[in-house]
Amino acid sequence: MRHLIDFGDLPRSEWDGLYARASRIMDDPQNFLDACCGKVMASLFYEPSTRTNFSFQTAMLRLGGTVFGFADPNSSSVAKGETLKDTIKMVSGYADVVVMRTPWEGAAKAASLYSHVPVVNAGDGGHMHPTQTMADLTTMTRLLGRVDGLSVGLCGDLKNGRTVHSLIKALAKFTGVRFFLISPRELAIPDYMRAFMRENNMFFTEVTGLESVIPQLDVLYMTRIQRERFVDPLEYERNKGIYILTRRKLERAKEHMLVMHPLPRVDEIAVDVDDDPRAAYFQQARYGMFARMALLADLANQPRLDRTEALEIGTGPVCRNPRCITQSQPYLPPLVKRSGGVDCCAFCDKALE
Ligand code: NCD
């Protein structure tokens, strides 16, 4: 693996190797104090973050590496109009690994085309968030002992929730996973994800009610309604507060069911759930740091590429998704991939019309 952009690109065997390393780190962190000694991580956060940013930084520090970057793009040359390509060319000249979060879908993929060092997607708009998925899989495996055969309820904003999309991509690599996709109709999973699930023969049911499915679940993965992604504020107002998990609703859940959440929560999990033994979300955030340590120990030690591949220079976006990175970076090559029987933008996955 050279970059981590989309969990779908990671073979199951590579994930198993990462999980094994994360477990070794958790069991004996002293053994990894020098795993990234002398290595430098760039952390480019164009969008707010607490857990992802902090857990990446602490992961690198705990491996003996160092960190630089920004959490506010207005403090960098991005504010002067620098292109993503130029920022990445330059930053990848200084760092051994680049971690980036952006509001633009496909931005990490775009960055990876020009980077001399591995790029990690720490969230690209409402598209993907593969390292959150590493935290999620680590949590399920550590606390339930397996991922195969689980019944997983994904609840909330499945349209804009990038953690959900990455988790579905990852769970396609396991056997016998059953999904309950719980959302209001207007916040259902995007078409490209539905096509992905069908193509991979995944078992899923789409429902609008949470309470009726709770008794069947091994994992209930709650998500925040992603206010910052709504174009129409009324649509947000209609949907906010739609699902609230309370201790009372948990009464009908299995005794071993995990309540997970990528965090931050707004009101979708009542505070009275926090002390229930099934509440796994704070533990999940801590596992995220160990999973990221396992990833960085690999990527920050990869050899640097002195030259990147010459690419066709684009002449403007072929993709109509207004949130796609190709909209603001017209030089990007017009990359197309086939998915669900249709041509899709290789950056943001949306079908090309
Ligand atoms: C998630 C994100 O940024 O997508 N948070 C995180 O990385 N832990 C979920 C969210 O913001 O709702």
Side-chain angles (χ1 to χ4, degrees), residues 51-52 101 129 132 162-163 224 226 262-264:
R51 265 149 301 275
T52 307
R101 163 170 294 192
H129 191 353
Q132 177 61 46
R162 55 192 171 196
T163 64
R224 176 176 70 87
Q226 308 276 300
L263 302 176

Side-chain angles (χ1 to χ4, degrees), residues 44-333:
L44 311 184
F45 278 67
Y46 295 79
E47 219 186 28
S49 167
T50 309
R51 265 149 301 275
T52 307
N53 192 358
F54 287 174
S55 66
F56 262 114
Q57 295 202 34
T58 49
M60 195 56 174
L61 296 173
R62 283 169 184 272
L63 294 168
T66 51
V67 179
F68 75 97
F70 57 76
D72 171 10
N74 292 322
S75 66
S76 76
S77 278
V78 175
K80 299 183 191 165
E82 186 170 62
T83 62
L84 181 66
K85 175 180 177 179
D86 289 4
T87 304
I88 292 299
K89 281 267 167 219
M90 191 260 317
V91 167
S92 68
Y94 302 151
D96 299 295
V97 60
V98 176
V99 175
M100 65 185 292
R101 163 170 294 192
T102 74
W104 316 293
E105 301 184 3
K109 162 94 183 166
S112 73
L113 302 177
Y114 304 107
S115 179
H116 298 275
V117 299
V119 173
V120 179
N121 182 5
D124 59 335
H127 184 223
M128 294 292 158
H129 191 353
T131 66
Q132 177 61 46
T133 300
M134 295 177 59
D136 302 342
L137 295 179
T138 303
T139 307
M140 292 179 200
T141 316
R142 283 292 271 205
L143 300 182
L144 295 177
R146 70 194 162 103
V147 175
D148 292 312
L150 295 179
S151 288
V152 179
L154 302 172
C155 177
D157 187 349
L158 309 187
K159 176 181 174 195
N160 301 300
R162 55 192 171 196
T163 64
V164 165
H165 308 157
S166 281
L167 185 55
I168 291 174
K169 287 258 175 127
L171 292 178
K173 299 175 192 297
F174 293 82
T175 51
V177 176
R178 294 157 57 90
F179 287 94
F180 294 87
L181 305 178
I182 310 152
S183 75
R185 271 184 243 291
E186 54 187 343
L187 299 183
I189 50 162
D191 291 340
Y192 69 85
M193 284 308 309
R194 201 173 286 109
F196 174 85
M197 294 185 91
R198 293 211 173 105
E199 233 180 351
N200 286 277
N201 298 317
M202 298 169 81
F203 174 93
F204 67 100
T205 331
E206 296 188 74
V207 297
T208 53
L210 167 62
E211 279 175 74
S212 58
V213 299
I214 283 186
Q216 304 185 57
L217 305 176
D218 300 306
V219 173
L220 173 56
Y221 192 97
M222 297 295 293
T223 63
R224 176 176 70 87
I225 308 294
Q226 308 276 300
R227 180 184 203 151
E228 66 279 25
R229 311 269 178 241
F230 284 76
V231 182
D232 174 4
L234 289 178
E235 193 185 16
Y236 174 73
E237 290 301 318
R238 269 198 305 277
N239 289 295
K240 70 173 189 197
I242 190 158
Y243 300 111
I244 300 183
L245 182 68
T246 57
R247 201 166 189 141
R248 192 193 55 73
K249 288 185 192 162
L250 270 183
E251 278 166 15
R252 296 179 54 231
K254 289 183 191 169
E255 213 181 301
H256 70 260
M257 186 192 82
L258 294 183
V259 180
M260 295 177 58
H261 192 305
L263 302 176
R265 75 173 142 183
V266 181
D267 55 6
E268 55 279 354
I269 302 180
V271 179
D272 68 4
V273 175
D274 294 357
D275 296 322
D276 189 290
R278 291 166 286 195
Y281 28 95
F282 293 117
Q283 185 67 15
Q284 183 183 352
R286 183 162 158 81
Y287 284 145
M289 177 181 71
F290 293 114
R292 290 176 174 115
M293 285 173 80
L295 180 71
L296 290 173
D298 178 3
L299 294 188
N301 285 301
Q302 301 234 355
R304 188 189 147 75
L305 287 183
D306 283 328
R307 291 183 66 82
T308 56
E309 206 184 316
L311 296 166
E312 180 184 345
I313 297 171
T315 52
V318 284
C319 170
R320 301 251 185 101
N321 172 10
R323 295 168 186 201
C324 179
I325 186 66
T326 57
Q327 299 291 337
S328 64
Q329 313 290 315
Y331 55 84
L332 286 171

